[in-house]
Amino acid sequence: MSTHVMVVADRFTGFVHSDDVRTISGLTAEINKGVFDDGQGEVLLHGGQGVGSFERSYLQQAIDRRKLTDRIRFTGEQVEPEGRDVVHKHSENNVLLANLRQVDGARYTADIRVHGDNELLLDHQTGEHVQGMVIVEAVRQLFVGVFECGYRNRWPLSDFYIVWNSMNLTFENFLFPLPAEIRCTVNELSVDKPERQLDFALDVELYQSGKLTASGRVGFSGFPSQKIAVLERRKAQKALKSLLETSA
């Protein structure tokens, strides 16, 4: 008989409310104390949010020391974060997407991957769920990733700066530190003038445990980097000048 255990990052200790959920540190401590030495049957570990290769390695070392590799093991594939070139994040901890793939011409999907030390968790983590701002940022990373993977290669000699124009999200359920998937359909609003501006809308849905967690539409644009740099500088100078004049 097999026992199934969901393993989550220590950050999500509030989600540990029964014997079928453990934090990485909690489960490792139990293994080190010999809690599983005399047990019967397999213990199958399922990786929840915040459980990456680093955390798995730490837990695996404890399993190996107690010679329990024949009884305790992870199921499923290791979820690795998307690269910096895809989601435009400098720190791996802040990447929220993994396994971004194109389902067909207009549809894309990705796994949600929340590191325990993600920037959005450091000063706001209450209860059992993952806060909604994580979903908002996952949507932002999704449209950046979709552009990088599905569109940038159309204009290989151009460099684009991606900005979002609008966002309308509805939250249907809490997001918990369990595996989740985000899906989208791309609507090409204007892609015939890449030297000026590219406009898109994404219809987005996030699912967890087969249920819709959030849905909505976001609009974003791609500008030639050189053009947006000039525009941004001009607007910054105008804003500063206006503020100083009204403060005089």
Side-chain angles (χ1 to χ4, degrees):
M1 181 176 179
S2 298
T3 300
H4 294 263
V5 177
M6 180 65 63
V7 188
V8 299
D10 294 349
R11 174 77 59 180
F12 303 117
T13 184
F15 188 66
V16 180
H17 47 70
S18 63
D19 289 341
D20 53 6
V21 184
R22 299 285 201 288
T23 63
I24 281 288
S25 292
L27 181 57
T28 301
E30 290 186 43
I31 292 173
N32 287 336
K33 293 177 181 177
V35 171
F36 295 89
D37 287 2
D38 299 324
Q40 300 295 320
E42 282 188 312
V43 179
L44 301 178
L45 308 180
H46 300 264
Q49 297 297 347
V51 180
S53 57
F54 184 79
E55 290 77 18
R56 284 197 182 204
S57 176
Y58 176 67
L59 184 56
Q60 189 63 51
Q61 289 177 10
I63 294 172
D64 293 345
R65 282 195 300 269
R66 304 298 299 194
K67 295 181 171 45
L68 295 172
T69 53
D70 59 332
R71 288 193 53 240
I72 304 177
R73 62 182 177 86
F74 273 100
T75 65
E77 297 181 358
Q78 173 65 45
V79 176
E80 296 295 339
E82 289 295 334
R84 177 174 169 178
D85 59 320
V86 175
V87 294
H88 296 188
K89 299 301 290 186
H90 289 260
S91 172
E92 180 183 319
N93 292 359
N94 299 327
V95 176
L96 293 172
L97 303 184
N99 195 24
L100 176 62
R101 61 240 185 234
Q102 187 175 18
V103 178
D104 58 32
R107 295 188 299 147
Y108 291 79
T109 187
D111 298 320
I112 295 293
R113 173 259 188 200
V114 185
H115 193 281
D117 290 327
N118 183 279
E119 59 187 339
L120 297 174
L121 304 180
L122 299 182
D123 196 32
H124 180 77
Q125 183 62 33
T126 59
E128 299 183 26
H129 72 280
V130 181
Q131 58 266 34
M133 285 305 298
V134 170
I135 297 177
V136 174
E137 172 61 13
V139 170
R140 189 197 69 80
Q141 291 186 23
L142 181 63
F143 71 67
V144 171
V146 165
F147 182 82
E148 289 290 349
C149 296
Y151 289 91
R152 186 178 289 276
N153 62 354
R154 294 189 186 183
W155 306 282
L157 300 181
S158 300
D159 189 22
F160 293 95
Y161 191 94
I162 310 302
V163 299
W164 61 5
N165 304 319
S166 62
M167 175 182 65
N168 185 355
L169 291 179
T170 299
F171 298 93
E172 308 284 353
N173 285 292
F174 287 124
L175 177 66
F176 295 106
L178 301 171
E181 183 180 66
I182 189 167
R183 309 169 187 171
C184 74
T185 301
V186 185
N187 298 281
E188 299 178 0
L189 304 182
S190 176
V191 296
D192 57 340
K193 295 181 180 179
E195 73 283 357
R196 295 180 57 188
Q197 181 176 335
L198 304 168
D199 295 314
F200 304 87
L202 246 61
D203 292 313
V204 179
E205 293 179 325
L206 192 151
Y207 288 88
Q208 185 173 76
S209 301
K211 295 183 179 180
L212 183 65
T213 299
S215 63
R217 169 172 278 214
V218 295
F220 71 98
S221 297
F223 294 93
S225 294
Q226 186 175 9
K227 179 180 178 180
I228 195 66
V230 173
L231 178 63
E232 189 174 25
R233 176 58 57 86
R234 184 166 65 244
K235 287 183 175 293
Q237 291 175 337
K238 184 177 180 180
L240 176 60
K241 182 179 179 181
S242 177
L243 178 62
L244 293 178
E245 287 177 348
T246 57
S247 300

